[in-house]
Amino acid sequence: MLRPVAFCLLCLLVSSPASALETMRIAMSEAGGEVQVSGPGLSSGADTEEATFQPLGTRQAIVRRRGKKLEVNGVLVAGSSVRFRSGEAAPGADASREKPLRAGGMEVRGDVVVRVYREGLQLINVIPLEEYLAAVLGSEMPVSFPPEALKAQAVAARTYALQKKLEAYGSSFYLGSSVLHQVYGGVNREDPRTLAAVEATRGEVLTYELAPIEAYFHASCGGRTESGLAALQRDLPYLQPAECPCGRLPASRWTATVSRAELQTALGGSPSGFRISGRTGTRRASRVSTSEGLSMDGPRFRQRLGYTKLKSLDFEVEETPHGYHFTGRGYGHGAGLCQWGAKALADGGWNYRDILSHYYPGTELQQLY
Ligand SMILES: [Zn+2]
């Protein structure tokens, strides 16, 4: 049964009009009862691809919630959402690149939708996929990385976004803008190097059995990537442990000191005698326990202690007079593409296609548009 379903997912993408295919809807932020949207030549319309946009005659719109409806600059609008668009190109710029809109503390390309959401308002950025990727790339990977590493990341981010779009098909938005999905910082994170990597791989998507893959990625695996099952409970044939050159980089080593109080907050109770009670096939901590019998799985423990404190689950731990000293390798969940590994491979002369095949074995690169 899996094959026909996967095939139809791809049919859905390929048979969609280009505009629908290439458009992403990203949840930017939530607000209380009022939000401001600004930009040159501001116009507004209904939240559809076919809507007609009416100039507002001002570069600023104050949107207020009135019950289940919305008011724009004091005028009630039909429906429970409104979409804004900037109307002027930047002076001297490519006319197709409209000036960005500012809303919710971000500057973004494309349109901004304000909609009634829960008790307040929600802002959604409706943006062409390729422009979204140019911004994501600058937030997710250092722009100084070699071009082949940036291209590999561009394909992974495009694939990840399309897969999430398929999963959320018909919803108001497909992705958030935080580290929980892909970090998206709007136009501030664009750079000529990210634009070039996105343009060079335009429309290229990684597929497995004709469907876009779940293209997870992380900063650094520490020497060997983790299986999708162990890292994210995603048992997928293309997310299997792979050897990685990032383990040789001093930057992939880390240490952390955790006090008894922090451990208590993370594990609950009053833990003592903390130890690693289970390890995955790549020797990452799959379970931690205390001598009182408290126990927790590795990913949850990392979440409770904080992703920046416990950079990975590939660690050793020692008891000290004040708490515990962790020594580890890598940064992130470890599944899929390793960014520092991609950099090392690109520095060694690998191209982005080989880098992608290394971290997502058995997948195929397809030109979707
Ligand atoms: Zn690595």
Side-chain angles (χ1 to χ4, degrees):
M1 282 307 288
L2 272 177
R3 265 173 196 274
V5 171
F7 182 69
C8 284
L9 286 177
L10 197 70
C11 292
L12 184 61
L13 279 176
V14 172
S15 62
S16 303
S19 61
L21 174 61
E22 294 178 41
T23 304
M24 291 300 293
R25 296 179 63 97
I26 314 296
M28 297 163 66
S29 57
E30 289 170 30
E34 181 179 314
V35 72
Q36 185 177 315
V37 180
S38 58
L42 198 63
S43 58
S44 70
D47 181 19
T48 66
E49 292 303 317
E50 305 78 30
T52 311
F53 283 73
Q54 301 293 337
L56 284 172
T58 162
R59 55 171 295 129
Q60 182 176 306
I62 306 285
V63 186
R64 284 199 189 90
R65 181 165 170 167
R66 287 278 177 261
K68 295 282 177 199
K69 295 207 167 250
L70 296 174
E71 200 181 85
V72 176
N73 290 343
V75 179
L76 209 59
V77 295
S80 57
S81 65
V82 60
R83 185 153 155 178
F84 294 95
R85 182 169 289 175
S86 160
E88 292 169 17
D94 174 357
S96 67
R97 303 207 84 195
E98 287 158 354
K99 267 210 146 182
L101 288 174
R102 178 174 285 280
M106 272 169 84
E107 227 184 343
V108 294
R109 296 202 185 281
D111 297 346
V112 168
V113 173
V114 181
R115 67 187 278 253
V116 168
Y117 185 66
R118 294 180 178 157
E119 300 307 309
L121 300 167
Q122 185 185 36
L123 287 128
I124 295 168
N125 185 199
V126 185
I127 181 171
L129 174 58
E130 301 294 323
E131 294 198 1
Y132 163 72
L133 290 173
V136 164
L137 219 52
S139 299
E140 286 287 0
M141 183 179 258
V143 296
S144 59
F145 272 22
E148 294 303 311
L150 288 169
K151 284 193 233 170
Q153 177 68 68
V155 173
R158 182 182 297 108
T159 305
Y160 183 91
L162 277 174
Q163 192 270 329
K164 287 285 171 201
K165 176 173 178 170
L166 281 172
E167 209 173 69
Y169 218 78
S171 305
S172 302
F173 62 92
Y174 316 139
L175 281 171
S177 52
S178 76
V179 70
L180 283 178
H181 290 125
Q182 303 199 82
V183 180
Y184 171 54
V187 293
N188 293 341
R189 304 311 298 258
E190 288 176 4
D191 182 279
R193 289 163 286 189
T194 61
L195 287 168
V198 170
E199 189 51 40
T201 61
R202 185 181 166 78
E204 291 183 12
V205 174
L206 279 173
T207 61
Y208 186 81
E209 293 189 337
L210 297 175
I213 68 162
E214 295 181 34
Y216 297 105
F217 52 87
H218 58 276
S220 149
C221 71
R224 198 168 177 213
T225 65
E226 181 57 292
S227 74
L229 179 62
L232 303 157
Q233 295 187 301
R234 302 299 299 143
D235 189 10
L236 298 163
Y238 49 82
L239 293 180
Q240 300 303 329
E243 295 302 318
C244 180
C246 81
R248 292 195 290 271
L249 303 169
S252 72
R253 315 254 158 202
W254 58 267
T255 60
T257 305
V258 175
S259 68
R260 283 178 213 290
E262 282 175 294
L263 202 65
Q264 188 170 343
T265 309
L267 285 168
S270 46
S272 67
F274 173 78
R275 66 191 173 88
I276 299 163
S277 49
R279 289 203 185 255
T280 69
T282 64
R283 294 204 44 78
R284 287 169 170 87
S286 61
R287 193 139 205 101
V288 293
S289 305
T290 68
S291 41
E292 286 82 17
L294 289 167
S295 178
M296 188 176 279
D297 71 60
R300 186 166 162 77
F301 177 65
R302 187 169 167 240
Q303 182 199 15
R304 296 285 285 268
L305 213 53
Y307 292 126
T308 48
K309 180 107 187 176
L310 204 63
K311 289 190 162 59
S312 74
L313 288 172
D314 186 2
F315 61 76
E316 309 296 333
V317 62
E318 271 173 46
E319 193 163 359
T320 68
H322 308 290
Y324 295 89
H325 183 71
F326 289 74
T327 317
R329 292 157 294 277
Y331 194 170
H333 52 60
L337 177 97
C338 169
Q339 295 175 320
W340 279 90
K343 177 193 184 300
L345 292 173
D347 284 338
W350 287 42
N351 66 38
Y352 75 100
R353 290 167 178 266
D354 293 339
I355 293 171
L356 290 167
S357 297
H358 180 71
Y359 293 108
Y360 306 108
T363 59
E364 275 182 75
L365 197 59
Q366 293 206 19
Q367 190 79 46
L368 213 54
Y369 49 84

